[in-house]
Structure formats: C-alpha cells, structure tokens
Amino acid sequence: MLDQGKAIWLRLRERIEAGQPSDLTTLYGLTRAATEEFNLLDRELVAAGSGIETVAHEWIWDEFRLVSSHRHTGSPTRTRRC
C-alpha cells in the first residue's frame, strides 16, 4: 500500500511541476484526482483493518506544500524520501 500512496504522490507532483499553476484554483484542480485516489486507498486500508495514519497525512501535506511553494520560483523541487 505504501507503494500505491507513493505513486499517487509522484503523479500529483509531476502534474504540478508540468502545469505550473499560477493560482490556487488551478492548483486545487490538479490535486482533485490525487485526493480521490488517496481517499480510495484509505478506504481500502480501513477495510483491511488499518488506515492512512496521521504521520502519513502530515508527510503528504508537507510534500504538497513544498512542491506548491516552488511553483512560482521555477526552481526544481526536492521532496523528502519516504
């Protein structure tokens, strides 16, 4: 399941970096599909007796914040390893 979450994140990061959204509405539009995928993954985890833990939520948010904050600077983004 970790690999699925990582794949969702990597696809979102690629969409953000490729799209270079200029405003929050556009940025949120890019995140919509990833949010739905993470929600589905969480439902699968809950059905298996687990769930996306708070630490994972915080990691995802931190990574999103890092990538989205670099969208205006044009500088390459680096994310932490999971």
Side-chain angles (χ1 to χ4, degrees):
M1 295 287 184
L2 177 62
D3 289 338
Q4 287 176 289
K6 186 176 179 180
I8 294 167
W9 166 246
L10 291 174
R11 284 191 302 272
L12 173 58
R13 190 179 82 187
E14 288 170 1
R15 285 193 301 265
I16 292 171
E17 290 176 346
Q20 294 294 308
S22 60
D23 57 54
L24 285 177
T25 302
T26 306
L27 179 62
Y28 291 156
L30 292 173
T31 66
R32 187 168 294 118
T35 300
E36 292 172 9
E37 289 181 80
F38 275 121
N39 289 341
L40 178 59
L41 179 59
D42 189 48
R43 285 193 295 272
E44 291 174 10
L45 288 167
V46 167
S50 185
I52 295 178
E53 301 295 328
T54 301
V55 173
H57 282 280
E58 291 173 2
W59 183 88
I60 293 164
W61 167 247
D62 286 345
E63 292 298 307
F64 172 75
R65 190 172 42 88
L66 177 68
V67 170
S68 63
S69 69
H70 288 282
R71 73 184 192 279
H72 294 295
T73 65
S75 62
T77 56
R78 286 188 221 152
T79 58
R80 295 173 295 161
R81 298 186 74 172
C82 46

